[in-house]
Amino acid sequence: MSQHRHRASARQLNRKRAITAAAVAGTVVVGVGVGVWASSGGGGSGGGSDAGAVGASRQADPPSPSPSRSYPMSKAPQTIPAVREHTAARGPGWKPRDGGRVVVTDPALADEGKLIAGELGLAYGGEKNDSKAGDVRLGLGGSGNPESYTMTVRDGRVDIKGPADAGVFYGTRTLKQEVHGGGTAPEGVVKDEPAKPSRGFMLDIARKPFSETWIEDRIRELGDLKYNELGLHFSDDQAFRIQSTSHPEIVSKDHLTKAQVKKIVGLAAARHIQIVPEIDSPGHLGAVIAAHPDLQLRNVNGKATRGAIDISKPESAKIVDDLLNEYADLFPGSKWNLGGDEYQALVVSDPEASYPQLAAAARDAYGADGNVADLTTGWLNGRADTVRAHDRTMRAWNDGFLRDSTLQPAKDIQVAYWTGKEIGARPPVDYLSAGRKVYNYNDEYLYYVLGEPNDFTYPTGQRIYQEWTPRVIRGTSAVPAQYDGQILGGSFAVWCDFANAQTESQVASGIRMPLRATVQKLWDPGQPALSWPQFKELANKLG
């Protein structure tokens, strides 16, 4: 090799090294620019950013940077309730863009697809097999919890899949929260499912007539928070609030029509929420009795007993069964609350002496040792027979399970445990150890009672978030972990003892944070990752 050729080769080598160094330097600059954008919202936990920041860092037009080099690891989504598992990845994440669409792989997901498309300002593309950048794809697949889902954010697309439409719907709720206010769904994979199958909100519309619009607004709020039950207590001493064709005489002037209820039920079903109706009996029937005073329970002195129907009369069972049969058609869900609480015949010192007609009926039905508690339990079982014929799963308030009765409530009646203050109170473990399934309505944490009577105070989200779990059924102590599987879930409840103590708007504001704290603990009863101030800040951000 000549000296000239050697020097030329050296110059070429040095030139190649310079070009390579320049190229590497350009890639690093782009990587820094994209990384800064990603950390400010483009590839992580929310917040928008101007993509021009990327272009400003470019000195030339180098090849597109690879995700693995250009983006930091994504952060877990910030949602309420928090997702159970997120596998981080490097990438820009996803946010809605012009021309984006929602497509489904199964026509059964059309409702979920149309809803999230409208919420995110995307087109609904229907059932499609092709794949485009910017897509949100909803699909059915896999096995396991029907409320579980997997959400994958990758390559500029979002795929949400679950064993059933409920899980897919919850995946769309996560996505909606992630991109709220212009934020970004972080790159990676979410695997999520609730710890408890029943996550409820109970509303007393008997004492306070809430408007159709207010109820529908709560349904939308509940759906976004992944609740799946709305209890409606629509019959009590004060009023009967839903139109009736079998007994129109009992209906209060201010009530919901059946058409309005069907609309409410339909909206709830679209949000995967089922209505759990309650016609409480044999107590809390004052509105029914007002139209049928002959059915009022009276003591040995002829004094009327407030709200109590005379369960020794066959006509009493007939009118309540008429109503149960009628409303089973209006509420097509699988669950029903029989009530059963606070029958005033049982709060006196000697029920048999105070109510001789009940004592006589008990002896006729259950023999010489039959008592008023037996008769009352028999009433509960009779109403359960009526509802069971409609293929419903039933629950009753825990003080309807009577200590002094030798007759036992039907085995398939689940316990809605709300208090430990009733006469002859039994702790939750008594029901759990007997094999009963329990819903947690703990009045220490979950009862929002208008006017704060009887030592009630308005519950706070902070106290629920920091202290309560589904195993804290009574008071502030948890039942042993061995019973966790029998606790089906829980419900936050609004009771309207003093109906005018708050307006609808004040109630909505007052329950806002308690609802969020409650569902966080029902979705994942473990210690939350966020502190209470952080959780509250997130709730305010999400709206």
Side-chain angles (χ1 to χ4, degrees), residues 81-129:
V83 300
R84 304 288 296 277
E85 180 184 333
H86 175 252
T87 301
R90 298 184 188 277
W94 180 94
K95 62 169 54 181
R97 68 184 194 182
D98 291 342
R101 62 179 188 168
V102 175
V103 297
V104 299
T105 62
D106 192 299
L109 297 174
D111 289 344
E112 289 75 15
K114 291 174 183 177
L115 178 62
I116 189 64
E119 291 169 332
L120 299 184
L122 303 174
Y124 176 65
E127 192 176 358
K128 294 285 192 301
N129 292 320

Coordinates of all heavy atoms in Angstrom, one line a residue, residues 81-129:
P81 N -61.3 4.0 41.5 CA -60.3 3.4 42.4 C -59.0 3.2 41.6 O -58.9 3.1 40.4 CB -60.9 2.1 42.8 CG -61.8 1.7 41.7 CD -62.4 3.0 41.2
A82 N -57.9 3.0 42.4 CA -56.6 2.8 41.8 C -56.6 1.4 41.1 O -57.2 0.4 41.6 CB -55.5 2.8 42.9
V83 N -55.8 1.3 40.0 CA -55.7 0.0 39.3 C -54.9 -0.9 40.2 O -54.0 -0.5 40.9 CB -55.1 0.1 37.9 CG1 -56.0 1.0 37.1 CG2 -53.7 0.6 38.0
R84 N -55.1 -2.2 40.1 CA -54.5 -3.2 41.0 C -53.1 -3.5 40.5 O -52.2 -3.8 41.3 CB -55.3 -4.5 41.0 CG -56.8 -4.4 41.5 CD -56.9 -4.0 42.9 NE -56.4 -5.1 43.8 CZ -57.2 -6.2 44.2 NH1 -58.4 -6.3 43.7 NH2 -56.7 -7.1 45.0
E85 N -52.8 -3.5 39.2 CA -51.5 -3.9 38.7 C -51.2 -3.1 37.4 O -52.1 -3.0 36.5 CB -51.4 -5.4 38.4 CG -50.1 -5.9 37.9 CD -50.2 -7.4 37.6 OE1 -51.0 -8.1 38.2 OE2 -49.4 -7.8 36.7
H86 N -50.0 -2.6 37.3 CA -49.6 -1.9 36.1 C -48.1 -2.3 35.8 O -47.2 -2.2 36.6 CB -49.7 -0.4 36.2 CG -49.1 0.4 35.0 ND1 -47.9 1.1 35.0 CD2 -49.6 0.5 33.7 CE1 -47.7 1.6 33.8 NE2 -48.7 1.3 33.0
T87 N -47.9 -2.8 34.6 CA -46.6 -3.1 34.1 C -46.1 -2.0 33.3 O -46.6 -1.7 32.2 CB -46.5 -4.4 33.3 OG1 -47.0 -5.5 34.1 CG2 -45.1 -4.8 32.9
A88 N -45.0 -1.3 33.7 CA -44.5 -0.1 33.1 C -43.8 -0.5 31.8 O -43.4 -1.6 31.6 CB -43.6 0.6 34.0
A89 N -43.8 0.5 30.9 CA -43.1 0.3 29.6 C -42.6 1.7 29.1 O -43.0 2.7 29.6 CB -44.0 -0.4 28.6
R90 N -41.7 1.6 28.1 CA -41.2 2.9 27.5 C -42.1 3.2 26.3 O -42.2 2.3 25.4 CB -39.8 2.8 27.2 CG -38.9 2.6 28.4 CD -37.4 2.6 28.0 NE -36.5 2.2 29.1 CZ -36.1 3.0 30.0 NH1 -36.5 4.3 30.0 NH2 -35.3 2.6 31.0
G91 N -42.5 4.4 26.2 CA -43.3 4.7 25.0 C -44.1 6.0 25.3 O -44.2 6.5 26.4
P92 N -44.7 6.6 24.2 CA -45.4 7.9 24.3 C -46.7 7.8 25.0 O -47.3 8.9 25.3 CB -45.5 8.3 22.9 CG -45.6 7.0 22.1 CD -44.7 6.1 22.8
G93 N -47.2 6.6 25.2 CA -48.6 6.6 25.8 C -49.6 6.9 24.7 O -49.3 6.8 23.5
W94 N -50.8 7.1 25.1 CA -51.9 7.4 24.2 C -52.8 8.5 24.6 O -53.1 8.6 25.8 CB -52.8 6.1 24.0 CG -53.9 6.2 23.0 CD1 -53.9 5.9 21.7 CD2 -55.2 6.7 23.3 NE1 -55.1 6.1 21.1 CE2 -56.0 6.6 22.1 CE3 -55.9 7.1 24.5 CZ2 -57.3 7.0 22.0 CZ3 -57.2 7.5 24.4 CH2 -57.9 7.5 23.2
K95 N -53.2 9.3 23.7 CA -54.3 10.3 24.0 C -55.2 10.4 22.8 O -54.7 10.1 21.6 CB -53.7 11.6 24.4 CG -52.8 12.3 23.4 CD -52.5 13.8 23.7 CE -51.9 13.9 25.1 NZ -51.6 15.3 25.5
P96 N -56.4 10.9 22.9 CA -57.3 11.0 21.8 C -56.7 12.0 20.8 O -56.1 13.0 21.1 CB -58.6 11.5 22.4 CG -58.5 11.2 23.8 CD -57.1 11.2 24.2
R97 N -57.0 11.7 19.5 CA -56.5 12.6 18.4 C -57.5 12.6 17.3 O -58.3 11.7 17.2 CB -55.1 12.1 17.9 CG -55.1 10.8 17.1 CD -53.7 10.4 16.8 NE -53.7 9.4 15.8 CZ -52.6 8.8 15.3 NH1 -51.4 9.2 15.8 NH2 -52.7 7.9 14.4
D98 N -57.4 13.6 16.5 CA -58.3 13.7 15.4 C -58.2 12.5 14.5 O -57.1 12.0 14.2 CB -57.9 15.0 14.5 CG -58.2 16.3 15.3 OD1 -59.0 16.2 16.3 OD2 -57.7 17.3 14.9
G99 N -59.4 12.0 14.1 CA -59.4 10.8 13.2 C -59.4 9.5 14.0 O -59.5 8.5 13.4
G100 N -59.2 9.6 15.3 CA -59.2 8.4 16.1 C -60.5 7.7 16.2 O -61.6 8.4 15.9
R101 N -60.5 6.5 16.5 CA -61.8 5.7 16.5 C -61.8 4.7 17.6 O -60.7 4.3 18.1 CB -62.1 5.1 15.1 CG -61.0 4.0 14.8 CD -61.2 3.3 13.5 NE -60.3 2.3 13.3 CZ -60.3 1.3 12.4 NH1 -61.3 1.3 11.5 NH2 -59.4 0.4 12.3
V102 N -63.0 4.3 18.0 CA -63.2 3.1 18.9 C -63.8 2.0 18.0 O -64.8 2.2 17.3 CB -64.1 3.5 20.0 CG1 -64.4 2.3 20.9 CG2 -63.5 4.6 20.9
V103 N -63.2 0.8 18.1 CA -63.7 -0.3 17.4 C -63.9 -1.5 18.4 O -63.3 -1.5 19.5 CB -62.8 -0.8 16.2 CG1 -62.7 0.4 15.2 CG2 -61.4 -1.1 16.7
V104 N -64.7 -2.4 18.0 CA -65.0 -3.6 18.9 C -64.8 -4.9 18.1 O -64.9 -4.9 16.8 CB -66.4 -3.6 19.5 CG1 -66.6 -2.3 20.3 CG2 -67.5 -3.6 18.3
T105 N -64.5 -5.9 18.8 CA -64.3 -7.2 18.1 C -65.5 -8.1 18.3 O -65.6 -9.2 17.7 CB -63.1 -8.0 18.7 OG1 -63.3 -8.2 20.1 CG2 -61.8 -7.2 18.5
D106 N -66.5 -7.6 19.1 CA -67.7 -8.3 19.3 C -68.9 -7.3 19.4 O -68.8 -6.3 20.1 CB -67.6 -9.1 20.7 CG -68.7 -10.1 20.8 OD1 -69.9 -9.7 20.9 OD2 -68.4 -11.3 21.0
P107 N -70.0 -7.6 18.7 CA -71.1 -6.7 18.7 C -71.7 -6.5 20.1 O -72.4 -5.5 20.3 CB -72.1 -7.3 17.7 CG -71.7 -8.7 17.6 CD -70.2 -8.8 17.8
A108 N -71.5 -7.4 21.0 CA -72.0 -7.2 22.3 C -71.4 -6.1 23.1 O -71.9 -5.6 24.1 CB -71.8 -8.5 23.1
L109 N -70.3 -5.5 22.5 CA -69.6 -4.4 23.2 C -70.0 -3.1 22.5 O -69.3 -2.0 22.8 CB -68.1 -4.6 23.1 CG -67.6 -5.8 23.9 CD1 -66.1 -6.0 23.6 CD2 -67.9 -5.7 25.4
A110 N -71.0 -3.0 21.7 CA -71.4 -1.8 21.0 C -71.7 -0.7 22.0 O -71.3 0.5 21.8 CB -72.6 -2.1 20.1
D111 N -72.5 -1.0 23.0 CA -72.9 0.1 24.0 C -71.6 0.7 24.6 O -71.5 1.9 24.8 CB -73.8 -0.5 25.0 CG -75.2 -0.8 24.5 OD1 -75.5 -0.3 23.4 OD2 -76.0 -1.5 25.1
E112 N -70.7 -0.2 25.1 CA -69.5 0.3 25.7 C -68.7 1.1 24.7 O -68.1 2.1 25.1 CB -68.7 -0.9 26.3 CG -69.3 -1.6 27.5 CD -70.5 -2.5 27.2 OE1 -70.7 -2.8 26.0 OE2 -71.2 -2.8 28.1
G113 N -68.6 0.6 23.5 CA -67.8 1.3 22.5 C -68.4 2.7 22.2 O -67.6 3.7 22.1
K114 N -69.7 2.8 22.0 CA -70.3 4.1 21.7 C -70.1 5.1 22.8 O -69.9 6.3 22.6 CB -71.8 3.9 21.3 CG -72.0 3.1 20.0 CD -73.5 2.8 19.8 CE -73.7 2.0 18.5 NZ -75.1 1.6 18.3
L115 N -70.3 4.6 24.0 CA -70.2 5.5 25.2 C -68.8 6.1 25.3 O -68.6 7.3 25.4 CB -70.5 4.7 26.5 CG -70.4 5.5 27.8 CD1 -71.4 6.7 27.8 CD2 -70.6 4.6 29.0
I116 N -67.7 5.3 25.3 CA -66.4 5.8 25.4 C -66.0 6.6 24.2 O -65.3 7.6 24.4 CB -65.4 4.7 25.7 CG1 -64.0 5.3 26.1 CG2 -65.2 3.8 24.5 CD1 -64.0 6.0 27.4
A117 N -66.5 6.3 23.0 CA -66.2 7.1 21.9 C -66.7 8.5 22.0 O -66.0 9.5 21.8 CB -66.8 6.4 20.6
G118 N -68.0 8.6 22.5 CA -68.6 9.9 22.7 C -67.9 10.7 23.8 O -67.7 11.9 23.7
E119 N -67.5 10.0 24.8 CA -66.8 10.7 26.0 C -65.4 11.2 25.6 O -65.0 12.3 26.1 CB -66.7 9.7 27.1 CG -68.0 9.4 27.8 CD -67.9 8.2 28.8 OE1 -67.0 7.4 28.6 OE2 -68.7 8.2 29.7
L120 N -64.7 10.5 24.7 CA -63.4 10.9 24.3 C -63.3 11.7 23.0 O -62.3 12.1 22.5 CB -62.5 9.7 24.2 CG -62.3 8.9 25.5 CD1 -61.3 7.8 25.2 CD2 -61.8 9.7 26.6
G121 N -64.5 11.9 22.4 CA -64.5 12.7 21.1 C -64.0 11.9 19.9 O -63.4 12.5 19.0
L122 N -64.1 10.6 20.0 CA -63.7 9.8 18.9 C -64.8 9.2 18.0 O -66.0 9.3 18.5 CB -62.9 8.6 19.4 CG -61.7 8.9 20.3 CD1 -61.1 7.6 20.9 CD2 -60.6 9.6 19.5
A123 N -64.5 8.8 16.9 CA -65.6 8.1 16.0 C -65.8 6.7 16.5 O -64.8 6.0 17.0 CB -65.1 8.1 14.6
Y124 N -67.0 6.2 16.4 CA -67.3 4.8 16.7 C -67.3 4.1 15.4 O -68.1 4.3 14.5 CB -68.6 4.6 17.4 CG -69.0 3.2 17.7 CD1 -68.2 2.4 18.5 CD2 -70.0 2.6 17.0 CE1 -68.4 1.1 18.7 CE2 -70.3 1.2 17.2 CZ -69.5 0.5 18.0 OH -69.8 -0.9 18.2
G125 N -66.3 3.2 15.3 CA -66.1 2.4 14.0 C -66.9 1.1 13.9 O -66.8 0.5 12.9
G126 N -67.5 0.7 15.0 CA -68.2 -0.6 15.0 C -67.3 -1.8 15.0 O -66.1 -1.7 15.5
E127 N -67.7 -2.9 14.5 CA -67.0 -4.1 14.6 C -66.0 -4.1 13.4 O -66.3 -4.1 12.2 CB -67.9 -5.3 14.5 CG -67.3 -6.7 14.8 CD -68.3 -7.8 14.8 OE1 -69.5 -7.5 14.5 OE2 -67.9 -9.0 15.0
K128 N -64.7 -4.2 13.7 CA -63.6 -4.1 12.7 C -62.5 -5.1 13.1 O -62.3 -5.3 14.3 CB -63.1 -2.7 12.7 CG -64.0 -1.6 12.1 CD -64.2 -1.8 10.6 CE -65.0 -0.5 10.1 NZ -66.3 -0.3 10.6
N129 N -61.9 -5.6 12.1 CA -60.7 -6.4 12.3 C -59.4 -5.8 12.0 O -58.3 -6.3 12.3 CB -60.8 -7.7 11.5 CG -62.0 -8.6 11.9 OD1 -62.2 -8.8 13.1 ND2 -62.7 -9.2 11.0

